[in-house]
């Protein structure tokens, strides 16, 4: 299966639905109260429709596969396959954010379990990558808890909207690591 193919992924904890404009109202509500730190790119409530449109444009260009993260029938965040390199079966999981009510719940763990399972077991990925800003310590810790290994730091990797330079921390999971990562995530979900 292609990494860009639209698909719904679901578990008892979360449902990942192909992102559509119909998710905008829920996602705008979910983004209320989020701290919009300078090193993240979470949309403000009024910017959610434009964020969805941008993600859908990238989907149509074959660069991204975006999902709405749904819990209890309500979209509580977004996530994507991005930096898709289908020829090399390489993908990044990123552009993820969750509203405050979904943070520190099973939602992120369950979503990552679904995405990684789809990447490795269905799409036969040979590497799944995660990237985050050096200053986003919360994200770095969450990625490490998944079982991803830090590959390195891309220094002065990008310019931020305000002109600041971004150092990007790169993590990855490889196919031979996936069984242990899967067991770790399943155990975390079972513990609640």
């Amino acid at each position: 299966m292609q990494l860009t193919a639209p698909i719904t992924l679901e578990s008892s904890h979360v449902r990942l639905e192909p992102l559509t404009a119909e998710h905008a109202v829920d996602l705008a509500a979910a983004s209320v109260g989020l701290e919009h730190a300078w090193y993240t790119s979470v949309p403000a409530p009024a910017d959610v429709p434009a964020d969805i449109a941008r993600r859908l444009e990238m989907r149509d260009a074959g660069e991204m596969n975006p999902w709405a993260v749904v819990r209890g029938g309500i979209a509580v965040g977004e996530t994507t396959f991005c930096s898709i390199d289908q020829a090399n079966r390489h993908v990044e999981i990123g552009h993820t954010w969750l509203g405050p009510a979904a943070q520190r719940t099973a939602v992120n763990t369950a979503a990552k379990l679904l995405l990684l399972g789809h990447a490795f077991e269905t799409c036969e990925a040979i590497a799944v990558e995660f990237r985050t800003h050096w200053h986003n310590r919360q994200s770095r810790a969450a990625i490490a808890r998944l079982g991803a290994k830090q590959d390195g730091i891309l220094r002065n990797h990008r310019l931020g909207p305000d002109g600041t330079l971004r150092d990007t921390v790169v993590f990855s999971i490889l196919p031979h690591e996936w069984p242990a990562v899967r067991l770790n995530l399943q155990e975390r979900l079972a513990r609640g």
Side-chain angles (χ1 to χ4, degrees), residues 3-4 62-65 81-87 90-92:
L3 291 160
T4 54
E63 300 166 358
M64 178 180 279
N65 192 348
F81 277 174
C82 54
S83 303
I84 296 170
D85 181 354
Q86 185 64 50
H90 189 279
V91 69
E92 177 185 344

Side-chain angles (χ1 to χ4, degrees), residues 50-74:
D51 180 70
I52 291 172
R54 180 183 58 79
R55 290 174 189 241
L56 295 179
E57 285 175 15
M58 293 176 76
R59 178 203 63 197
D60 294 344
E63 300 166 358
M64 178 180 279
N65 192 348
W67 285 275
V69 179
V70 178
R71 180 178 68 170
I74 299 169

Side-chain angles (χ1 to χ4, degrees), residues 19 27 40-43 51 54-55 58 63-69 77-84 92-98 108 112 115 129-132 139 143 158 166:
L19 184 66
L27 292 172
T40 65
S41 58
V42 177
D51 180 70
R54 180 183 58 79
R55 290 174 189 241
M58 293 176 76
E63 300 166 358
M64 178 180 279
N65 192 348
W67 285 275
V69 179
E78 295 176 298
T79 193
T80 75
F81 277 174
C82 54
S83 303
I84 296 170
E92 177 185 344
I93 294 174
H95 300 274
T96 301
W97 66 269
L98 295 174
N108 189 51
K112 294 303 189 283
L115 291 167
E129 194 173 273
F130 300 85
R131 293 179 176 217
T132 191
S139 179
I143 294 167
R158 282 198 216 152
R166 169 184 161 143

Side-chain angles (χ1 to χ4, degrees), residues 1-4 67 80-93 112-130 172-179 182:
M1 177 176 276
Q2 297 286 309
L3 291 160
T4 54
W67 285 275
T80 75
F81 277 174
C82 54
S83 303
I84 296 170
D85 181 354
Q86 185 64 50
N88 291 300
R89 299 191 335 255
H90 189 279
V91 69
E92 177 185 344
I93 294 174
K112 294 303 189 283
L113 181 60
L114 289 170
L115 291 167
L116 287 163
H118 181 60
F120 286 120
E121 297 166 15
T122 307
C123 299
E124 300 179 340
I126 62 170
V128 176
E129 194 173 273
F130 300 85
S172 67
I173 299 172
L174 303 178
H176 70 277
E177 298 165 337
W178 168 232
R182 180 180 55 229

Side-chain angles (χ1 to χ4, degrees), residues 18-48:
L19 184 66
T20 69
E22 286 75 38
H23 292 110
V25 172
D26 284 353
L27 292 172
S31 72
V32 170
L34 284 177
E35 288 185 23
H36 299 285
W38 63 272
Y39 50 76
T40 65
S41 58
V42 177
D47 298 331
V48 165

Side-chain angles (χ1 to χ4, degrees), residues 3-17:
L3 291 160
T4 54
I7 186 170
T8 298
L9 304 170
E10 188 168 12
S11 72
S12 61
H13 298 280
V14 71
R15 178 179 168 92
L16 302 180
E17 299 176 357

